[in-house]
Amino acid sequence: MLPTTSYSPLSTGNGSLSLRDAARHTAGAKRYKYLRRLLHVRQMDFEFAAWQMLYLFTSPQRVYRNFHYRKQTKDQWARDDPAFLVLLSIWLCVSTVGFGVVLEMGLVEMMKLLLWVVFIDCIGVGLLISTLMWVVTNKYLMKQQSKDHDVEWGYAFDVHLNAFYPLLVILHFLQLFFINHIVVINSDWFLGYFVGNTLWLVAIGYYIYITFLGYSALPFLKNTVVLLYPFALLGLLYVLSLCLGWNFTKGLCWFYKFRVQ
Protein backbone atom coordinates (compact mmCIF):
# COMPACT_ATOMS: atom_id res chain seq x y z
CA MET A 1 0.00 0.00 0.00
CA LEU A 2 1.36 3.44 -0.88
CA PRO A 3 1.98 5.78 2.05
CA THR A 4 0.23 9.11 2.25
CA THR A 5 1.20 12.37 3.82
CA SER A 6 -1.86 12.63 5.98
CA TYR A 7 0.20 11.95 9.08
CA SER A 8 1.02 15.09 11.02
CA PRO A 9 3.48 15.44 13.92
CA LEU A 10 0.99 17.80 15.55
CA SER A 11 -1.64 15.13 15.97
CA THR A 12 -0.32 13.65 19.24
CA GLY A 13 -2.34 14.01 22.36
CA ASN A 14 0.24 15.79 24.49
CA GLY A 15 0.73 19.38 23.38
CA SER A 16 4.40 19.75 24.39
CA LEU A 17 5.28 16.48 22.74
CA SER A 18 3.63 17.52 19.49
CA LEU A 19 5.63 20.75 19.46
CA ARG A 20 8.87 18.84 19.86
CA ASP A 21 7.87 16.46 17.08
CA ALA A 22 6.93 19.38 14.87
CA ALA A 23 10.32 20.99 15.48
CA ARG A 24 12.05 17.79 14.41
CA HIS A 25 10.13 17.75 11.15
CA THR A 26 10.68 21.35 10.07
CA ALA A 27 12.64 21.96 6.89
CA GLY A 28 15.42 23.63 8.87
CA ALA A 29 15.77 20.67 11.22
CA LYS A 30 15.90 18.19 8.34
CA ARG A 31 18.47 20.33 6.54
CA TYR A 32 20.63 20.60 9.67
CA LYS A 33 20.52 16.83 10.21
CA TYR A 34 21.44 16.18 6.58
CA LEU A 35 24.38 18.62 6.58
CA ARG A 36 25.60 17.36 9.95
CA ARG A 37 25.86 13.82 8.60
CA LEU A 38 28.20 15.10 5.88
CA LEU A 39 30.81 15.48 8.62
CA HIS A 40 30.35 11.92 9.91
CA VAL A 41 31.45 9.51 7.22
CA ARG A 42 30.82 6.45 9.38
CA GLN A 43 27.13 7.34 9.61
CA MET A 44 26.70 7.23 5.83
CA ASP A 45 25.45 4.07 4.16
CA PHE A 46 27.60 3.97 1.02
CA GLU A 47 26.65 0.40 0.22
CA PHE A 48 22.98 1.32 0.02
CA ALA A 49 23.79 4.44 -2.04
CA ALA A 50 25.77 2.29 -4.49
CA TRP A 51 22.82 -0.09 -4.69
CA GLN A 52 20.58 2.85 -5.63
CA MET A 53 23.01 3.94 -8.34
CA LEU A 54 22.93 0.48 -9.87
CA TYR A 55 19.14 0.27 -9.86
CA LEU A 56 18.75 3.74 -11.37
CA PHE A 57 19.97 2.07 -14.57
CA THR A 58 18.26 -1.30 -14.30
CA SER A 59 15.06 -0.70 -12.29
CA PRO A 60 14.58 2.91 -11.12
CA GLN A 61 11.11 2.09 -9.74
CA ARG A 62 12.79 0.09 -6.97
CA VAL A 63 14.71 3.20 -5.89
CA TYR A 64 11.50 5.16 -5.42
CA ARG A 65 9.93 2.32 -3.46
CA ASN A 66 12.61 3.01 -0.88
CA PHE A 67 11.46 6.66 -0.77
CA HIS A 68 7.99 5.36 0.13
CA TYR A 69 9.48 3.30 2.92
CA ARG A 70 11.34 6.35 4.27
CA LYS A 71 8.10 8.32 4.31
CA GLN A 72 6.43 5.58 6.34
CA THR A 73 9.25 5.24 8.86
CA LYS A 74 10.72 8.76 9.10
CA ASP A 75 7.86 10.94 7.82
CA GLN A 76 9.91 12.54 5.05
CA TRP A 77 10.29 11.81 1.37
CA ALA A 78 13.76 13.30 0.90
CA ARG A 79 16.97 11.44 1.71
CA ASP A 80 18.35 11.94 5.20
CA ASP A 81 21.68 10.29 4.30
CA PRO A 82 24.10 12.30 2.08
CA ALA A 83 25.99 9.15 0.96
CA PHE A 84 24.39 9.27 -2.51
CA LEU A 85 25.45 12.90 -2.96
CA VAL A 86 29.01 12.08 -1.87
CA LEU A 87 29.31 9.18 -4.32
CA LEU A 88 27.80 11.30 -7.09
CA SER A 89 30.37 14.03 -6.37
CA ILE A 90 33.19 11.49 -6.64
CA TRP A 91 31.79 10.25 -9.97
CA LEU A 92 31.54 13.83 -11.17
CA CYS A 93 35.15 14.67 -10.24
CA VAL A 94 36.64 11.51 -11.73
CA SER A 95 34.68 11.75 -14.98
CA THR A 96 35.53 15.44 -15.38
CA VAL A 97 39.23 14.70 -14.94
CA GLY A 98 38.79 11.99 -17.58
CA PHE A 99 37.23 14.55 -19.91
CA GLY A 100 40.19 16.84 -19.32
CA VAL A 101 42.62 14.05 -20.18
CA VAL A 102 40.74 13.13 -23.38
CA LEU A 103 40.67 16.78 -24.45
CA GLU A 104 44.40 17.08 -23.63
CA MET A 105 43.98 19.86 -21.09
CA GLY A 106 46.74 20.98 -18.75
CA LEU A 107 46.47 20.73 -14.97
CA VAL A 108 45.28 24.32 -14.51
CA GLU A 109 42.71 23.99 -17.29
CA MET A 110 41.51 20.70 -15.81
CA MET A 111 41.00 22.31 -12.39
CA LYS A 112 39.04 25.17 -13.98
CA LEU A 113 36.84 22.67 -15.79
CA LEU A 114 36.27 20.72 -12.58
CA LEU A 115 35.16 23.86 -10.73
CA TRP A 116 32.82 24.80 -13.58
CA VAL A 117 31.25 21.37 -13.78
CA VAL A 118 30.82 20.95 -10.01
CA PHE A 119 29.58 24.41 -9.04
CA ILE A 120 27.75 25.49 -12.20
CA ASP A 121 26.62 22.38 -14.08
CA CYS A 122 25.84 20.20 -11.07
CA ILE A 123 25.06 22.42 -8.09
CA GLY A 124 23.88 25.61 -9.83
CA VAL A 125 21.76 23.97 -12.52
CA GLY A 126 20.56 21.37 -10.00
CA LEU A 127 19.32 24.03 -7.58
CA LEU A 128 17.59 25.87 -10.42
CA ILE A 129 15.82 22.78 -11.81
CA SER A 130 14.88 21.49 -8.35
CA THR A 131 13.39 24.82 -7.33
CA LEU A 132 11.49 25.11 -10.61
CA MET A 133 10.04 21.60 -10.27
CA TRP A 134 9.23 22.22 -6.60
CA VAL A 135 7.22 25.33 -7.52
CA VAL A 136 5.49 23.76 -10.53
CA THR A 137 4.47 20.53 -8.77
CA ASN A 138 3.18 22.29 -5.66
CA LYS A 139 1.28 24.90 -7.65
CA TYR A 140 -0.08 22.98 -10.63
CA LEU A 141 0.09 19.22 -10.01
CA MET A 142 -1.42 18.89 -6.53
CA LYS A 143 -4.67 16.92 -6.32
CA GLN A 144 -5.81 19.32 -3.61
CA GLN A 145 -4.07 22.07 -1.70
CA SER A 146 -3.37 21.06 1.89
CA LYS A 147 -0.84 21.81 4.61
CA ASP A 148 -0.37 18.06 5.07
CA HIS A 149 0.41 17.44 1.39
CA ASP A 150 3.30 19.11 -0.35
CA VAL A 151 6.38 18.27 -2.39
CA GLU A 152 9.46 18.76 -0.23
CA TRP A 153 12.22 20.82 -1.83
CA GLY A 154 14.70 18.21 -0.64
CA TYR A 155 12.74 15.53 -2.48
CA ALA A 156 12.77 17.63 -5.67
CA PHE A 157 16.55 17.88 -5.32
CA ASP A 158 16.81 14.11 -4.78
CA VAL A 159 14.77 13.47 -7.92
CA HIS A 160 17.17 15.69 -9.86
CA LEU A 161 20.20 13.84 -8.45
CA ASN A 162 18.63 10.48 -9.31
CA ALA A 163 17.97 11.60 -12.89
CA PHE A 164 21.34 13.32 -13.23
CA TYR A 165 23.41 10.25 -12.32
CA PRO A 166 22.66 8.11 -15.44
CA LEU A 167 23.11 11.21 -17.61
CA LEU A 168 26.49 11.81 -15.99
CA VAL A 169 27.66 8.22 -16.51
CA ILE A 170 26.59 8.16 -20.17
CA LEU A 171 27.85 11.60 -21.24
CA HIS A 172 30.83 12.01 -18.90
CA PHE A 173 32.10 8.43 -18.79
CA LEU A 174 30.89 6.12 -21.56
CA GLN A 175 31.16 8.86 -24.16
CA LEU A 176 34.86 9.37 -23.36
CA PHE A 177 35.75 6.09 -25.05
CA PHE A 178 34.19 7.28 -28.32
CA ILE A 179 35.43 10.88 -28.55
CA ASN A 180 38.86 10.14 -30.02
CA HIS A 181 38.71 6.36 -30.36
CA ILE A 182 36.48 3.55 -31.66
CA VAL A 183 33.99 5.72 -33.62
CA VAL A 184 35.55 9.17 -33.11
CA ILE A 185 32.30 11.01 -32.42
CA ASN A 186 34.13 14.34 -32.12
CA SER A 187 34.08 14.64 -35.91
CA ASP A 188 31.77 15.65 -38.76
CA TRP A 189 31.21 12.25 -40.35
CA PHE A 190 27.76 10.67 -40.10
CA LEU A 191 28.64 7.62 -37.99
CA GLY A 192 30.42 9.89 -35.51
CA TYR A 193 27.53 12.24 -34.80
CA PHE A 194 25.01 9.38 -35.10
CA VAL A 195 26.66 7.52 -32.20
CA GLY A 196 27.29 10.72 -30.24
CA ASN A 197 23.78 12.11 -30.63
CA THR A 198 22.29 8.71 -29.80
CA LEU A 199 24.18 8.74 -26.50
CA TRP A 200 22.71 12.19 -25.83
CA LEU A 201 19.24 10.86 -26.70
CA VAL A 202 19.58 7.98 -24.24
CA ALA A 203 21.08 10.16 -21.48
CA ILE A 204 18.45 12.90 -21.64
CA GLY A 205 15.74 10.25 -22.06
CA TYR A 206 16.90 8.66 -18.81
CA TYR A 207 16.74 12.07 -17.11
CA ILE A 208 13.16 12.72 -18.27
CA TYR A 209 11.93 9.23 -17.39
CA ILE A 210 13.50 9.07 -13.92
CA THR A 211 12.18 12.57 -13.18
CA PHE A 212 8.70 11.38 -14.18
CA LEU A 213 9.00 8.31 -11.94
CA GLY A 214 10.04 10.48 -9.03
CA TYR A 215 6.99 12.70 -9.11
CA SER A 216 4.52 10.01 -10.17
CA ALA A 217 5.55 8.10 -7.02
CA LEU A 218 3.93 10.82 -4.88
CA PRO A 219 0.29 9.80 -4.30
CA PHE A 220 -0.91 13.38 -3.83
CA LEU A 221 0.15 14.59 -7.30
CA LYS A 222 -1.99 14.42 -10.45
CA ASN A 223 -1.33 14.56 -14.19
CA THR A 224 2.35 13.71 -13.76
CA VAL A 225 2.28 12.23 -17.26
CA VAL A 226 2.87 15.78 -18.54
CA LEU A 227 6.47 15.32 -17.38
CA LEU A 228 6.89 12.84 -20.23
CA TYR A 229 5.88 15.38 -22.90
CA PRO A 230 9.50 16.58 -23.43
CA PHE A 231 10.14 13.18 -25.05
CA ALA A 232 8.36 14.49 -28.17
CA LEU A 233 10.70 17.50 -28.41
CA LEU A 234 13.70 15.29 -27.65
CA GLY A 235 12.81 12.91 -30.48
CA LEU A 236 12.30 15.81 -32.89
CA LEU A 237 15.67 17.36 -32.02
CA TYR A 238 17.37 14.00 -32.46
CA VAL A 239 15.96 13.50 -35.97
CA LEU A 240 16.79 17.10 -36.91
CA SER A 241 20.34 16.74 -35.60
CA LEU A 242 20.94 13.72 -37.84
CA CYS A 243 19.37 15.38 -40.88
CA LEU A 244 21.26 18.65 -40.43
CA GLY A 245 24.55 17.16 -39.24
CA TRP A 246 24.54 18.67 -35.76
CA ASN A 247 27.14 17.11 -33.49
CA PHE A 248 26.25 17.67 -29.83
CA THR A 249 29.42 16.03 -28.52
CA LYS A 250 31.64 18.21 -30.68
CA GLY A 251 29.78 21.25 -29.37
CA LEU A 252 30.28 20.07 -25.78
CA CYS A 253 34.01 19.57 -26.32
CA TRP A 254 34.33 23.05 -27.83
CA PHE A 255 32.33 24.54 -24.96
CA TYR A 256 34.51 22.86 -22.33
CA LYS A 257 37.69 24.11 -24.02
CA PHE A 258 36.22 27.61 -24.34
CA ARG A 259 35.36 27.65 -20.63
CA VAL A 260 38.91 27.08 -19.43
CA GLN A 261 40.70 29.52 -21.75
Side-chain angles (χ1 to χ4, degrees):
M1 179 181 297
L2 295 180
T4 65
T5 55
S6 59
Y7 165 78
S8 174
L10 296 175
S11 62
T12 58
N14 185 296
S16 60
L17 179 60
S18 65
L19 290 176
R20 289 198 299 269
D21 287 344
R24 294 191 191 102
H25 289 82
T26 61
K30 294 176 183 178
R31 185 164 53 246
Y32 171 76
K33 181 181 178 181
Y34 184 87
L35 294 176
R36 186 181 61 182
R37 294 188 67 175
L38 278 172
L39 304 177
H40 299 84
V41 178
R42 293 184 179 180
Q43 295 182 9
M44 299 185 201
D45 191 347
F46 290 105
E47 181 179 354
F48 182 69
W51 172 88
Q52 289 185 315
M53 288 182 164
L54 173 63
Y55 278 105
L56 282 172
F57 276 100
T58 60
S59 182
Q61 296 92 335
R62 297 183 64 174
V63 175
Y64 287 113
R65 281 202 290 268
N66 174 258
F67 282 76
H68 279 289
Y69 176 74
R70 184 182 301 109
K71 177 60 180 175
Q72 290 177 321
T73 57
K74 300 182 179 180
D75 196 44
Q76 70 176 64
W77 291 97
R79 289 187 177 98
D80 60 347
D81 184 352
F84 187 92
L85 178 61
V86 172
L87 291 183
L88 179 65
S89 300
I90 294 174
W91 260 103
L92 188 63
C93 292
V94 172
S95 62
T96 302
V97 171
F99 233 109
V101 172
V102 169
L103 297 181
E104 300 179 347
M105 294 182 179
L107 181 61
V108 175
E109 292 176 326
M110 203 177 297
M111 291 303 299
K112 288 181 180 179
L113 178 62
L114 181 61
L115 292 175
W116 265 100
V117 171
V118 171
F119 291 102
I120 303 299
D121 294 349
C122 182
I123 298 178
V125 174
L127 293 176
L128 180 62
I129 294 177
S130 301
T131 302
L132 177 63
M133 293 301 298
W134 174 64
V135 172
V136 169
T137 52
N138 278 309
K139 189 171 184 179
Y140 300 107
L141 299 183
M142 296 290 293
K143 289 181 179 178
Q144 58 182 6
Q145 296 297 328
S146 171
K147 294 181 179 179
D148 295 329
H149 298 77
D150 71 311
V151 177
E152 303 167 6
W153 186 91
Y155 182 79
F157 188 65
D158 280 337
V159 170
H160 166 72
L161 294 181
N162 290 342
F164 181 75
Y165 172 68
L167 183 146
L168 172 69
V169 173
I170 294 171
L171 296 183
H172 255 232
F173 179 69
L174 294 180
Q175 188 171 228
L176 295 181
F177 299 98
F178 295 89
I179 290 180
N180 294 324
H181 304 87
I182 304 179
V183 181
V184 190
I185 58 180
N186 187 22
S187 62
D188 292 324
W189 68 315
F190 176 78
L191 184 59
Y193 61 75
F194 170 75
V195 173
N197 291 1
T198 300
L199 289 175
W200 279 82
L201 174 70
V202 174
I204 298 176
Y206 255 113
Y207 187 93
I208 295 172
Y209 179 62
I210 293 178
T211 297
F212 160 74
L213 289 179
Y215 291 104
S216 64
L218 300 180
F220 49 85
L221 293 184
K222 63 179 180 179
N223 300 328
T224 53
V225 69
V226 300
L227 300 177
L228 292 176
Y229 289 176
F231 266 118
L233 178 60
L234 178 63
L236 177 61
L237 286 175
Y238 175 71
V239 173
L240 282 176
S241 70
L242 297 182
C243 295
L244 300 177
W246 298 342
N247 191 324
F248 297 139
T249 301
K250 186 176 182 180
L252 178 67
C253 293
W254 174 86
F255 184 59
Y256 275 179
K257 289 181 178 179
F258 174 78
R259 275 180 165 182
V260 299
Q261 288 179 355

